[in-house]
Amino acid sequence: MSTFILLLITGLGLGALYFLVASGLSLIYGLMGVLNFAHGSFLTLSAFAGWEVGRRIGLDTLTGFLVAILVGAIVAALTEFLLIRPLYERHIEQVLVTVGLSLATVALFEGIWGPDPINIQRMPWLIETTTIAGAPVPNSVFIAIGAAVLVLIGLLVFLRKTRYGLIIRAGVENRSMVTALGIDVRRAFTLVFTIGGIAAGIGGVLASNYFGYVSPLMGGSLLIFAFIVTVIGGLGSLAGAAVASILVAVLQQFTNYYWGYGDLIVVLLLAVVLLVRPQGLLGRKAA
Amino acid sequence: MSSQATSKKRIAGGWLELAVAVAIVAFLALLPMLNLPGLGLLPGPTYTPGSLHLMAYIMLMVSLALSYHMIFGLAGMLSFGHALYFGIGVYGLGIVLQRTDIPLLPAALIVLVIGIFVTHILGAISLRVSGISFAMVTLAFAQAGNVFVRRNPGGYTGGDEGLALATSNVPDFFIGVVNTKYLYWLALAVVVVVFAVVAWIEYSRAGHGIAATRENEMRVRVLGGRPFVVKLIAFVIGGSLAIVTGMAFLLLQSGAAHTHTTAEFTLTLLVMVVLGGVGRRWGVVVGATVYTILDQRLVALASHDAIRELPAVLRIPLSEPLFILGTLFILIVMFLPGGLSALVDRFRKVPVEDEPIKEPV
Amino acid sequence: MNHVLTVSHLTGTIAGQQVVEDVSFEVPATGVTAVLGRNGVGKTSTIKAILGLINRSGEVTLEGRRIVHMHTHRIVQLGVGYVPEDREVFTGLTVAENISLAVRQRSPRLDFVRELFPEVVVERAQQRAGTLSGGQQQMVSLARALVNDNKLLLVDEPTKGLAPKIVDEVADVLREAAKTVPVVLVEQNLKVIDLLAERVVVIDAGRVVHTGPARELLDDPERIQQLLGVHGEAAA
């Protein structure tokens, strides 16, 4: 029983990380039709930024955390402004540019920090466990889950209650009509990239605490599962991304424990979803 | 220009292409016998094993990029999972040779048949969706393949260590550094066959069907064509050519490494194709060659004294080949649509006929 | 004559295919100018080219100002209201959200649109636009344009697929709107044209083939047959 609980909760924690990556991906794709391959690099860079700050000024993680978020936001906004915007409406080229950026940045990170994972020092209470129904769960898992829930709520409130949220929701549905109402939709583009960068930044710090290391490849490996999550959830659907994150991560965690091939099961799930429902669980139309 | 004149010009272009190709192949076939200087692009004179190995490596990358060109350039499908099919060739043959007593040729045939079967199934599932979803699905399948290889189930794949080539059933002339020239000729044969298949398909009716489906799937459907079948054919042919290339690669490298099954490896193929010019057969050849040479020789550049003495801000980026290549790729996408082929076109003042990159349908 | 919009040698392309060949016409500062033509001759594409929604070249001026190089949102901000073909309301947004998204000025004319479309804009304000009927969606689409003060309205086939009674309502709204703002109206329904339009511009194969007073064309069934391929009466 306690194993079951442990797997379930750590699965939710992993799902939280997936969601932090997938939410940005899904928003960006939904509004702009761009699959952002550089999203993993935003996460990696934020993780390293958080670690560097923590290493230099002590483990006051809040400062490191804020710096990491800021780095994620700025890098994402710059990416949109410098690389994506000049290729306005040329979606394949936009994807290619993010591919190039991801290759170049991962190589750069390897040059700066070395190719191997670096074990990080964490605040002691993050490694300590809290026992739930007999299962000792590391506190970092709860932090990840809590942060993902907060991000989800924050995004929903932002999308429902603000004018920019309204523009984004409308743009996801029909981008050109938004411009035909006199709205500069490109500002919303920068905004979703920034939001995605913030979520990835949070994800970066949490992931390094969840796994206990930072590595130039951590963003890329999370990104692949986030891709799977967004397809299963339905491209452009935030709620879909949330549901699919949990589904994928928990399934993965259980099969990894009992059988060892959780990653394969996830791909199998993807294949099944595509055969039965090509638009994804909560996707509106066939993508 | 009338359509008749166009087709005449096309046929003339076909003969010209054939003549150029024959000349290049003849020259390449003679290289192991010649003593030409490496000019800094190769580690030594052309007949040395090191140079032959690098050239064979380049030819197999060209071959693989051409197989990817079938899927991305010709059929317009953005696949992020091409490394999987290459990996089936590399690991499939590696495993069969290690675990059975089947000689090389029948083993290769078995792997090809099984591989084509797998390509068929995965292609059919992936083609349930199109555009970006297709890209993600192919990526996911390839990732599953990579996970499989790294987990080393039953000790079959060797995990992160890689899989060494079991040589007992491989002909002697493919083994050992002194025999590199035979591997070189094998690689040359593979790239010639793959190029010929790709060119033949592009000139054939099937090729026109594939191109038409890329341009306007709806119209093909209205005219009674079946886009799904056409796309699947392109996908399976591209995958099969990758499998063949992978098998030769196993022999050349005397083993298999999991890095050739990763998503990053597929991305480098994409970079090669875009570098040369999407949809352009010769562009892909040039793109893959330039990319591979840069990738190999930039490593040598990094250990150069002039680079090592630079301050860290410059030294670190310059000693990462992928950083330079990735940046180059971004610049080409942004400022040189059509890649190196477009540069040649501009020089020859040939009007660009259509947009180099099309939205996948 | 004083023109609010001049279009000269406008061309437009969609996915590399030229859909507007060479269109020139002028829109006076008052009244309704109808754009006519058979299906697929490039009427909608002409409107989209004016707005920059498709790739275009040539010359377009709004009140003497060049707009052919501008982004769509800039053109609209200059004071152009647009009611697209097939309404294009945001189906996932409520009626109120659809309208509030369209507001471009500090004091929008909310009372005006509430008065025009009480049963949609007031009663169904919190309903999702996707759940409305075609006629109701058309009213949302019109309200989005009319909630601002415009220098020009571009209205694309507002009566397409609507019941005759709704067609009359839409025509009434457009007549009301046309009192204060010049309108370019793409329309197939000759009855609506008869009710509203003062001038007509006929397009065929991406080019303007006829311009003149609406009355003159409507009174000449042979010419209608020749230009539009329909009988004057049958089209209503």
Side-chain angles (χ1 to χ4, degrees):
Chain A
M1 184 60 198
S2 67
T3 311
F4 180 86
I5 297 286
L6 183 65
L7 289 173
L8 184 67
I9 297 180
T10 50
L12 287 175
L14 188 61
L17 298 180
Y18 290 167
F19 175 74
L20 288 170
V21 184
S23 54
L25 277 182
S26 199
L27 269 182
I28 291 170
Y29 182 83
L31 183 67
M32 307 171 62
V34 176
L35 183 61
N36 182 20
F37 267 81
H39 215 76
S41 291
F42 300 165
L43 182 141
T44 308
L45 186 61
S46 297
F48 274 110
W51 171 67
E52 286 280 1
V53 170
R55 190 164 78 123
R56 269 152 217 222
I57 63 167
L59 290 175
D60 167 15
T61 31
L62 199 61
T63 316
F65 192 55
L66 293 177
V67 169
I69 293 174
L70 197 66
V71 165
I74 291 173
V75 173
L78 283 178
T79 301
E80 196 283 329
F81 192 76
L82 296 177
L83 300 181
I84 306 293
R85 183 170 292 198
L87 298 169
Y88 187 67
E89 289 292 319
R90 290 157 62 191
H91 296 162
I92 293 295
E93 277 102 330
Q94 288 176 330
V95 174
L96 294 180
V97 160
T98 67
V99 166
L101 186 63
S102 98
L103 289 174
T105 47
V106 169
L108 190 62
F109 300 154
E110 286 184 344
I112 298 171
W113 288 292
D116 300 316
I118 303 168
N119 288 319
I120 62 164
Q121 283 228 301
R122 289 178 279 184
M123 297 227 304
W125 67 271
L126 277 172
I127 315 170
E128 281 163 22
T129 57
T130 305
T131 306
I132 291 190
V137 183
N139 288 332
S140 60
V141 175
F142 294 110
I143 300 285
I145 296 171
V149 170
L150 285 180
V151 167
L152 176 61
I153 293 171
L155 280 175
L156 287 177
V157 170
F158 170 76
L159 288 175
R160 296 281 147 206
K161 301 290 176 201
T162 65
R163 177 156 175 89
Y164 267 105
L166 186 60
I167 292 173
I168 291 170
R169 279 190 290 142
V172 167
E173 204 181 297
N174 184 343
R175 201 167 42 229
S176 72
M177 193 59 219
V178 172
T179 61
L181 291 178
I183 295 161
D184 186 358
V185 79
R186 293 173 305 172
R187 268 192 233 161
F189 291 173
T190 314
L191 190 67
V192 287
F193 254 84
T194 312
I195 293 172
I198 291 172
I202 298 172
V205 176
L206 295 178
S208 55
N209 278 299
Y210 182 95
F211 296 124
Y213 63 81
V214 284
S215 134
L217 298 174
M218 68 192 291
S221 49
L222 278 171
L223 184 69
I224 287 180
F225 289 106
F227 280 160
I228 295 175
V229 160
T230 44
V231 175
I232 290 180
L235 282 161
S237 162
L238 201 59
V243 172
S245 296
I246 294 170
L247 191 66
V248 165
V250 171
L251 186 69
Q252 201 177 8
Q253 201 78 345
F254 274 95
T255 30
N256 264 338
Y257 182 80
Y258 288 109
W259 186 47
Y261 286 92
D263 304 356
L264 291 188
I265 284 294
V266 167
V267 174
L268 206 63
L269 175 70
L270 175 74
V272 170
V273 168
L274 282 174
L275 284 170
V276 180
R277 212 179 141 76
Q279 74 273 39
L281 295 179
L282 298 180
R284 254 169 311 171
K285 52 189 177 196
Chain B
M1 197 188 308
S2 76
S3 67
Q4 206 178 0
T6 317
S7 75
K8 256 187 195 157
K9 206 174 161 190
R10 276 188 75 115
I11 292 166
W15 284 113
L16 180 69
E17 183 179 351
L18 191 64
V20 171
V22 168
I24 292 177
V25 170
F27 175 69
L28 287 176
L30 287 174
L31 273 185
M33 267 87 98
L34 300 175
N35 182 3
L36 300 176
L39 298 173
L41 297 176
L42 297 172
T46 48
Y47 70 91
T48 55
S51 293
L52 287 176
H53 185 274
L54 177 58
M55 286 189 290
Y57 185 90
I58 291 170
M59 289 191 288
L60 290 182
M61 286 303 119
V62 168
S63 167
L64 187 58
L66 280 167
S67 73
Y68 187 63
H69 158 80
M70 271 298 300
I71 295 171
F72 178 54
L74 190 58
M77 300 182 283
L78 186 55
S79 163
F80 281 118
H82 203 58
L84 176 63
Y85 305 101
F86 183 68
I88 289 176
V90 179
Y91 275 93
L93 186 62
I95 291 170
V96 171
L97 287 177
Q98 190 161 65
R99 299 281 162 155
T100 68
D101 286 329
I102 304 169
L104 180 63
L105 233 92
L109 263 173
I110 291 171
V111 171
L112 184 60
V113 170
I114 296 175
I116 289 174
F117 181 71
V118 173
T119 312
H120 234 103
I121 293 187
L122 295 186
I125 296 177
S126 312
L127 283 167
R128 296 263 305 163
V129 288
S130 56
I132 294 296
S133 297
F134 174 83
M136 290 206 210
V137 175
T138 51
L139 176 70
F141 281 138
Q143 187 62 19
N146 179 243
V147 168
F148 194 77
V149 166
R150 294 192 67 174
R151 284 288 159 79
N152 193 15
Y156 272 87
T157 62
D160 285 351
E161 314 279 284
L163 181 70
L165 175 67
T167 52
S168 49
N169 289 314
V170 178
D172 286 340
F173 55 87
F174 278 153
I175 295 166
V177 176
V178 283
N179 286 324
T180 308
K181 61 175 182 257
Y182 295 104
L183 289 166
Y184 171 88
W185 280 321
L186 174 72
L188 180 62
V190 167
V191 74
V192 167
V193 167
V194 168
F195 187 92
V197 169
V198 170
W200 175 65
I201 287 172
E202 282 192 40
Y203 279 113
S204 75
R205 272 180 66 99
H208 294 308
I210 293 170
T213 307
R214 176 192 66 205
E215 296 301 326
N216 194 335
E217 190 171 330
M218 194 49 104
R219 191 156 62 195
V220 170
R221 193 171 290 145
V222 169
L223 292 174
R226 296 175 62 192
F228 176 83
V229 175
V230 172
K231 282 154 82 175
L232 186 58
I233 290 172
F235 191 85
V236 171
I237 294 173
S240 310
L241 296 178
I243 292 171
V244 170
T245 309
M247 293 193 284
F249 194 76
L250 173 80
L251 296 176
L252 179 68
Q253 300 295 81
S254 314
H258 85 89
T259 46
H260 291 111
T261 62
T262 56
E264 285 76 38
F265 187 59
T266 303
L267 296 186
T268 59
L269 294 179
L270 183 63
V271 173
M272 291 176 195
V273 170
V274 173
L275 185 68
V278 178
R280 308 286 290 267
R281 198 161 53 240
W282 282 101
V284 172
V285 174
V286 174
T289 308
V290 170
Y291 180 95
T292 314
I293 290 177
L294 283 177
D295 189 33
Q296 298 288 320
R297 300 311 288 172
L298 284 174
V299 178
L301 179 75
S303 51
H304 199 275
D305 286 342
I307 298 283
R308 287 170 107 179
E309 282 160 15
L310 286 173
V313 195
L314 291 173
R315 192 194 67 232
I316 290 172
L318 287 180
S319 32
E320 291 293 333
L322 254 185
F323 175 78
I324 300 173
L325 287 165
T327 311
L328 179 68
F329 176 69
I330 293 174
L331 293 175
I332 285 191
V333 172
M334 295 193 70
F335 302 112
L336 188 62
L340 297 175
S341 320
L343 207 60
V344 176
D345 287 347
R346 206 173 290 176
F347 187 66
R348 285 164 54 191
K349 299 250 163 78
V350 174
V352 181
E353 273 176 32
D354 51 2
E355 297 271 299
I357 298 178
K358 285 281 193 302
E359 195 88 348
V361 280
Chain C
M1 200 193 279
N2 188 13
H3 295 129
V4 60
L5 182 78
T6 62
V7 178
S8 48
H9 305 298
L10 182 68
T11 65
T13 52
I14 299 176
Q17 267 190 335
Q18 193 149 352
V19 286
V20 180
E21 298 278 346
D22 181 3
V23 166
S24 306
F25 65 92
E26 279 118 23
V27 178
T30 57
V32 175
T33 303
V35 176
L36 307 177
R38 282 177 254 246
N39 278 327
V41 296
K43 303 184 296 282
T44 295
S45 301
T46 300
I47 300 291
K48 288 193 167 171
I50 292 170
L51 275 171
L53 287 168
I54 61 174
N55 284 328
R56 81 286 205 206
S57 62
E59 204 50 74
V60 181
T61 58
L62 181 71
E63 291 191 328
R65 186 166 175 184
R66 276 192 75 215
I67 60 167
V68 82
H69 58 285
M70 287 185 185
H71 277 288
T72 301
H73 66 92
R74 287 287 303 134
I75 297 173
V76 172
Q77 282 167 5
L78 291 176
V80 179
Y82 174 47
V83 182
E85 193 187 19
D86 301 323
R87 359 256 188 244
E88 297 201 37
V89 295
F90 299 103
T91 52
L93 272 50
T94 64
V95 171
E97 285 175 332
N98 263 282
I99 290 168
S100 92
L101 194 65
V103 169
R104 319 191 290 265
Q105 58 200 42
R106 203 156 291 159
S107 50
R109 305 198 303 169
L110 286 171
D111 291 334
F112 177 64
V113 296
R114 282 192 190 118
E115 219 168 281
L116 277 177
F117 312 107
E119 70 274 34
V120 178
V121 175
V122 181
E123 285 166 32
R124 297 177 186 272
Q126 295 312 314
Q127 197 170 325
R128 292 207 320 168
T131 63
L132 300 175
S133 71
Q136 290 165 335
Q137 290 192 4
Q138 188 62 64
M139 289 170 189
V140 174
S141 192
L142 283 162
R144 280 195 312 205
L146 298 176
V147 76
N148 298 297
D149 293 299
N150 292 307
K151 291 173 183 158
L152 175 68
L153 270 186
L154 302 174
V155 186
D156 195 352
E157 299 219 25
T159 65
K160 188 178 168 190
L162 299 183
K165 186 173 157 280
I166 315 284
V167 170
D168 293 342
E169 272 182 54
V170 168
D172 285 343
V173 168
L174 287 173
R175 184 170 26 213
E176 185 63 31
K179 285 177 186 163
T180 52
V181 60
V183 178
V184 174
L185 174 68
V186 175
E187 184 56 75
Q188 303 265 30
N189 188 330
L190 290 181
K191 197 182 118 198
V192 175
I193 294 185
D194 194 14
L195 280 171
L196 298 174
E198 278 135 52
R199 288 160 305 276
V200 290
V201 175
V202 182
I203 294 183
D204 197 11
R207 291 165 193 276
V208 173
V209 291
H210 171 86
T211 49
R215 199 66 263 148
E216 192 184 290
L217 181 66
L218 290 168
D219 288 343
D220 188 349
E222 249 172 63
R223 193 119 175 82
I224 290 179
Q225 169 68 23
Q226 178 204 344
L227 289 171
L228 304 175
V230 290
H231 296 289
E233 311 90 310

